[in-house]
Amino acid sequence: MIFYNSFNRDCRDAVGAIVAGQTLTLRIQVTDLPVQNVAIEIFPDGEQATNTQRVRMQPQADNWYVGKVTPPSAGLYFYRFIVDTDPGQQAIYYASKYKVYGGTGEATRDSNTSCYQLTVLSKEETLPDWYRHAIFYHIFVDRFNNGNADGHVNNPKPNSFIYGTHNDLPYYVKDANGQIVRWDFYGGNLLGIEQKLPYLQELGVTALFLSPIFAARSNHRYDTADYEKIDSMLGSLADFDHFLTAVHAAGMHVILDGVFNHVGADSKYFDLYHSFEPREGATDSPSSPYYDWFTFTQYPNKYGAWWGWAICRR
């Protein structure tokens, strides 16, 4: 039997992120197996084939093994355990369960496994007191509240549909390939959140965490089209300033969800559909100022995308 739980202090002396150069101690228990050697295999994100390190673990009492790793730089790391048993036998790999990056794992002799995740920071920030003690309320902005007195939706997007009532259930229109072809909107906006501040105060809320509010094609807005513009369905920059003033006057704080890991295909940075002027997107020209933001395997039709969800050119 093999036991390791990344959320257990007996197994990992620091739960959560660590700082670059900090030593992390890992402990794993292996019983009822003829152990020859136990090691930690660790590598930076995307570098398993070229930059994998193995750290031999030392035996302790009660069949525990201990090892220490010291990531040298900030970034995302992955690790797993390798248990060598009888000579001639394939090693046992102990790693996190499929699509789960923490907790207890599973043992297999198949080297194709998932891995535990380790976040390494360049430095540790001192969190402000308001954040440490805040009661947060997360708001999916489009679904929260429309502040317009007559209920009209600000600047509806082309090729989308608006729900007739708030009681209508969400519904995605997809094509044969599973791609969403009509985004759906309820029309929530910044004014609607501002009008609900007294209600949120009654709940004891002291901080708001908003889903992305920058210009985008979808209702969730994780496919950013322009980081410098508030989505017009939500309001203007002046509306946002007014909203912030009201939030602060209520003694509350706001955190925005900044999506800086990826952008939308229909964005000024990628411009898959050539809908932005001036045409400076990565698919418009290899000389685009944003070209090196992306990884093309066959320009401009094949490229690296978020979790492989590339939108193919038709």
Side-chain angles (χ1 to χ4, degrees):
M1 186 184 79
I2 301 177
F3 172 73
Y4 175 78
N5 185 336
S6 63
F7 300 141
N8 188 321
R9 291 278 185 169
D10 290 335
C11 298
R12 177 171 161 168
D13 67 343
V15 176
I18 65 172
V19 178
Q22 177 182 342
T23 297
L24 177 68
T25 300
L26 302 176
R27 299 176 74 241
I28 187 170
Q29 188 179 44
V30 185
T31 57
D32 302 324
L33 287 172
V35 176
Q36 301 292 317
N37 179 55
V38 182
I40 304 164
E41 186 176 74
I42 185 169
F43 55 91
D45 185 25
E47 300 181 29
Q48 184 173 11
T50 58
N51 196 12
T52 298
Q53 295 183 349
R54 284 196 182 186
V55 177
R56 183 164 183 164
M57 305 184 78
Q58 301 302 315
Q60 292 187 327
D62 298 324
N63 300 304
W64 283 92
Y65 293 81
V66 63
K68 298 177 183 293
V69 295
T70 309
S73 57
L76 185 62
Y77 288 75
F78 293 94
Y79 68 93
R80 62 183 181 177
F81 301 93
I82 302 177
V83 180
D84 291 317
T85 55
D86 292 323
Q89 289 277 342
Q90 174 69 28
I92 295 176
Y93 297 87
Y94 190 86
S96 64
K97 298 172 184 176
Y98 180 62
K99 288 190 176 180
V100 179
Y101 298 112
T104 56
E106 54 190 4
T108 177
R109 292 191 186 272
D110 184 352
S111 61
N112 184 23
T113 71
S114 298
C115 288
Y116 286 101
Q117 183 172 295
L118 174 64
T119 301
V120 180
L121 310 175
S122 58
K123 64 178 182 178
E124 187 173 3
E125 300 288 347
T126 301
L127 300 178
D129 285 340
W130 73 261
Y131 180 85
R132 295 174 59 204
H133 301 290
I135 298 175
F136 274 92
Y137 191 102
H138 178 258
I139 293 177
F140 185 65
V141 183
D142 176 70
R143 285 2 191 195
F144 189 67
N145 187 42
N146 184 336
N148 296 324
D150 60 0
H152 78 271
V153 175
N154 299 330
N155 301 300
K157 297 181 185 297
N159 298 315
S160 65
F161 68 86
I162 309 297
Y163 289 106
T165 73
H166 290 168
N167 294 324
D168 292 342
L169 295 177
Y171 180 77
Y172 290 123
V173 178
K174 299 181 180 181
D175 62 17
N177 298 316
Q179 297 286 350
I180 295 175
V181 294
R182 290 290 185 273
W183 285 103
D184 57 321
F185 296 90
Y186 281 93
N189 50 39
L190 294 171
L191 179 59
I193 304 174
E194 184 175 332
Q195 292 175 354
K196 290 289 187 178
L197 290 179
Y199 162 73
L200 294 168
Q201 283 183 299
E202 289 178 6
L203 296 179
V205 172
T206 61
L208 305 178
F209 177 40
L210 304 189
S211 63
I213 65 171
F214 303 107
R217 191 179 194 182
S218 72
N219 53 31
H220 54 68
R221 300 183 176 88
Y222 280 96
D223 53 330
T224 306
D226 191 336
Y227 291 112
E228 299 177 281
K229 292 182 179 178
I230 303 294
D231 194 295
S232 59
M233 287 190 75
L234 305 182
S236 64
L237 183 58
D239 293 328
F240 179 65
D241 288 339
H242 194 276
F243 163 72
L244 280 183
T245 299
V247 169
H248 294 157
M252 304 169 74
H253 295 80
V254 176
I255 289 183
L256 301 180
D257 193 339
V259 189
F260 306 117
N261 172 264
H262 53 273
V263 299
D266 189 19
S267 68
K268 73 175 187 180
Y269 313 104
F270 199 71
D271 201 17
L272 181 63
Y273 308 108
H274 307 301
S275 54
F276 286 81
E277 292 292 346
R279 292 188 175 177
E280 297 180 333
T283 59
D284 292 318
S285 168
S287 61
S288 164
Y290 309 113
Y291 178 81
D292 62 0
W293 286 23
F294 309 95
T295 301
F296 290 94
T297 55
Q298 185 182 65
Y299 184 83
N301 297 322
K302 295 182 179 180
Y303 45 86
W306 181 80
W307 277 39
W309 283 92
I311 298 176
C312 298
R313 185 186 299 278
R314 293 180 174 82

